[in-house]
Amino acid sequence: MILNTKKVHYAWIILIVTFLSVIVAAVTNTMSGVMMIPFEEEFGWSRASISGAFAICITLVGFSGPFVAGLFQKFTVRKVLLIGMGTLLLALLLTTFMTKIWHLYIIWGVIIGLSAGAFLTVLNTYVATTWFEEKRGLALGLLTSSSAAGQLIFLPLLAYVVGNFSWRSAILTIFVFGLFIYLCIWIFMKNDPADVGVLPLGAKVRNQLNINPVNPIKAAFDGLKLGVKSKVFWLLAGSFFICGFSTSGLIGTHFISLCIGYGYKEVTAASLLAFMGIFNIIGTTLSGYFSDRLDNRWLLFWYYGLRGLSLLVLPFALSTNSVFYLAAFAIFYGLDWIATVPPTIKLATDHFGKDKVGVIYGWIYSAHQLGAGAAAYGGGLAYSWFNAYQSIFFAAGIFCIIATLFVLNIKRKTVIDQNLSA
C-alpha cells in the first residue's frame, strides 16, 4: 500500500542528505587550492608536482562516474555512499601522515579521487530522476549548488585554520564534519521511494527499482558504446570538457594562488572564492528552474559565452586592486560557475532517456573532469614555466567562447523524436 502524507515528502530528506554528502566530497577537492602553497612550503615540492596529484584526483572523479552509475544499479545507493564516505575519511586521515610526494599521489590522487567519485558524478542525477517527478530541475539546481555551498562555508574557515594553526588541522576539520555526514547517510539514505512507502514527488506511478544483476563494468561500457555513436554526446562531452577546464580545474585549484601572486592574502582570496559561492548557489538554482522552461542549448550558449568573457578580464580585475572590479567578477562568474550542469543533464535526458542518462551523463562528466584535470596540471605547469598564470586563464576564456559553438550545434529534440526514442 502506498502511503500518502501531507507532511514533508521524503524526497526532500534525501535531497538534504545528498546535499550535505556532496559538500564533504566537493570541499575535499576544492581545498586543493588552500593546500597548494602550504604543501609547497613544508615539503619543498614544486607546484607542478603538487598540481599533478590534484589533477589525477579530479580526473579519476570523472572516470569513476559511469561505474558508479553501474554500482547504483547493481547494489543500493546507501551501500555505495557508505563505502565511498568511509574511504574518503580514511584518506583524509592518511593525508596528515604523508611525507613523500608519492604519498600525495596515492592518497589524494587515487584514493580520494575514486571515493569522491561516488558523490560528485552521477549521484545528483540519480537522486533527481529517482525521487522527483515534479520539480526535478529545481532539485538538480539545488543539488548542483551543494559544492558551492561547501565552498562558501568551508574555504574561508580552512584558510583561517591553515594560516593560524596548520594544514593538518584544516584536514581534520573536514574529517570531523565528514563523520557526521557518514551517520546521516547511515540513518536516512534510502535507495528508492518504495523503501519508505511513497511515490516519487509528483508521480502517479511507481518507478522500477534500480537494483538489477547487470555487471557495473559492462553497464558502463554499454553506455559508452551508445554515446560515441551520437553527435549530441560528443558535443555535450566537448563543451563539458571546457566547463571543467574553466571551473574546478582552473579556478578551484589555482585561483587562490593566482590572487596571492597579485599580493592578496590567502584568507582574502578564499573569502573571494566563497563570495562566488553565494552567487553560484543562486545561479545554479535558477539554472535548474530555467532548464525546465527554456531552450537548454541557448542557456548553455549564454553561460559559456559570459564565463569566457569574465575569465579574459580577470587578470585586469586583479591588477587594479579594486574591490569593485573583484566583486563584479565574483558575482558575474559565481552566477555562471556550475549553472551549466542542469541544462547539460536535461539535454542528455531528452536525447538518451531517463533509463540511460545515468551512465551517459557519467561519461559526459568524465570529459568534464578530464578538462578539469588538464587545467589543474596545466596551471601548475604554466606557473613553473612562466612564473605566472595569465596564459592559462586566457586560454580558458577562449575555450569557453568555442564551447558556445558546440552547444548551438546540438539538434533540438522534438516531441516526435522523444516518442520514437521512448
Side-chain angles (χ1 to χ4, degrees):
M1 180 178 179
I2 301 301
L3 299 176
N4 288 319
T5 176
K6 294 183 179 179
K7 297 180 181 180
V8 175
H9 194 283
Y10 203 84
W12 296 112
I13 297 175
I14 294 294
L15 184 143
I16 292 171
V17 174
T18 304
F19 188 96
L20 295 174
S21 302
V22 172
I23 282 179
V24 178
V27 168
T28 304
N29 275 352
T30 308
M31 70 189 297
S32 60
V34 177
M35 297 297 161
M36 183 79 68
I37 292 178
F39 286 173
E40 193 177 37
E41 292 176 346
E42 177 169 335
F43 299 110
W45 302 332
S46 72
R47 196 165 301 187
S49 297
I50 299 170
S51 298
F54 295 149
I56 291 173
C57 175
I58 291 170
T59 304
L60 286 180
V61 164
F63 279 94
S64 65
F67 304 98
V68 170
L71 290 172
F72 286 168
Q73 292 177 350
K74 179 71 174 178
F75 306 104
T76 66
V77 64
R78 179 174 177 272
K79 289 180 181 177
V80 175
L81 297 188
L82 284 173
I83 293 172
M85 183 60 70
T87 307
L88 184 68
L89 293 176
L90 175 62
L92 286 172
L93 275 182
L94 291 175
T95 302
T96 63
F97 296 100
M98 69 180 184
T99 56
K100 307 291 184 182
I101 187 66
W102 67 266
H103 295 167
L104 181 67
Y105 274 76
I106 295 297
I107 297 170
W108 206 294
V110 178
I111 301 177
I112 289 181
L114 292 176
S115 56
F119 302 90
L120 300 179
T121 53
V122 298
L123 177 60
N124 290 345
T125 306
Y126 171 87
V127 168
T129 57
T130 302
W131 287 87
F132 292 85
E133 189 67 29
E134 292 180 356
K135 305 183 186 301
R136 185 177 295 154
L138 176 62
L140 268 175
L142 289 169
L143 289 170
T144 306
S145 71
S146 56
S147 58
Q151 169 184 306
L152 169 65
I153 297 168
F154 281 102
L155 280 187
L157 172 63
L158 294 176
Y160 174 83
V161 173
V162 169
N164 290 273
F165 299 96
S166 69
W167 64 264
R168 290 180 178 83
S169 298
I171 294 285
L172 292 175
T173 301
I174 297 300
F175 175 82
V176 171
F177 180 68
L179 279 178
F180 168 73
I181 302 306
Y182 184 91
L183 292 176
C184 290
I185 296 171
W186 183 277
I187 296 169
F188 297 109
M189 180 57 69
K190 306 296 179 183
N191 190 61
D192 188 90
D195 292 346
V196 288
V198 300
L199 294 171
L201 182 66
K204 303 301 181 183
V205 295
R206 187 195 302 273
N207 284 342
Q208 291 184 346
L209 289 175
N210 292 321
I211 303 174
N212 59 54
V214 172
N215 184 308
I217 297 177
K218 183 179 184 299
F221 284 105
D222 284 347
L224 180 61
K225 288 178 184 178
L226 176 66
V228 296
K229 297 175 183 177
S230 169
K231 177 183 176 182
V232 172
F233 174 85
W234 288 109
L235 291 172
L236 287 175
S239 60
F240 230 35
F241 176 95
I242 294 171
C243 180
F245 191 99
S246 56
T247 54
S248 56
L250 190 61
I251 294 291
T253 305
H254 295 288
F255 179 78
I256 292 176
S257 298
L258 172 72
C259 291
I260 291 173
Y262 277 90
Y264 297 89
K265 294 181 179 179
E266 185 172 23
V267 174
T268 302
S271 299
L272 186 60
L273 202 55
F275 185 61
M276 292 183 205
I278 299 174
F279 296 93
N280 192 351
I281 295 171
I282 297 171
T284 306
T285 303
L286 287 175
S287 181
Y289 175 83
F290 288 133
S291 71
D292 286 331
R293 291 162 175 77
L294 302 176
D295 187 333
N296 288 275
R297 301 170 306 156
W298 281 103
L299 285 177
L300 290 175
F301 171 85
W302 287 108
Y303 294 159
Y304 284 119
L306 295 174
R307 182 190 298 172
L309 293 176
S310 67
L311 288 171
L312 291 175
V313 302
L314 175 58
F316 166 77
L318 288 170
S319 64
T320 62
N321 202 26
S322 166
V323 174
F324 173 79
Y325 286 121
L326 287 176
F329 170 80
I331 294 170
F332 197 72
Y333 183 89
L335 286 170
D336 190 79
W337 185 319
I338 48 178
T340 54
V341 174
T344 300
I345 294 175
K346 190 71 164 54
L347 286 169
T349 304
D350 289 345
H351 282 82
F352 297 102
K354 287 170 56 177
D355 293 339
K356 299 181 178 68
V357 70
V359 175
I360 292 292
Y361 177 71
W363 286 111
I364 293 172
Y365 188 79
S366 296
H368 180 282
Q369 294 303 101
L370 189 62
Y377 181 67
L381 206 59
Y383 186 86
S384 297
W385 287 348
F386 307 115
N387 200 33
Y389 282 113
Q390 284 84 347
S391 59
I392 194 76
F393 277 85
F394 179 80
I398 296 300
F399 288 162
C400 286
I401 304 301
I402 295 172
T404 64
L405 304 178
F406 288 179
V407 296
L408 286 186
N409 272 282
I410 297 173
K411 182 181 177 182
R412 186 170 186 175
K413 193 75 169 176
T414 64
V415 174
I416 294 176
D417 293 332
Q418 290 171 348
N419 290 335
L420 289 175
S421 63

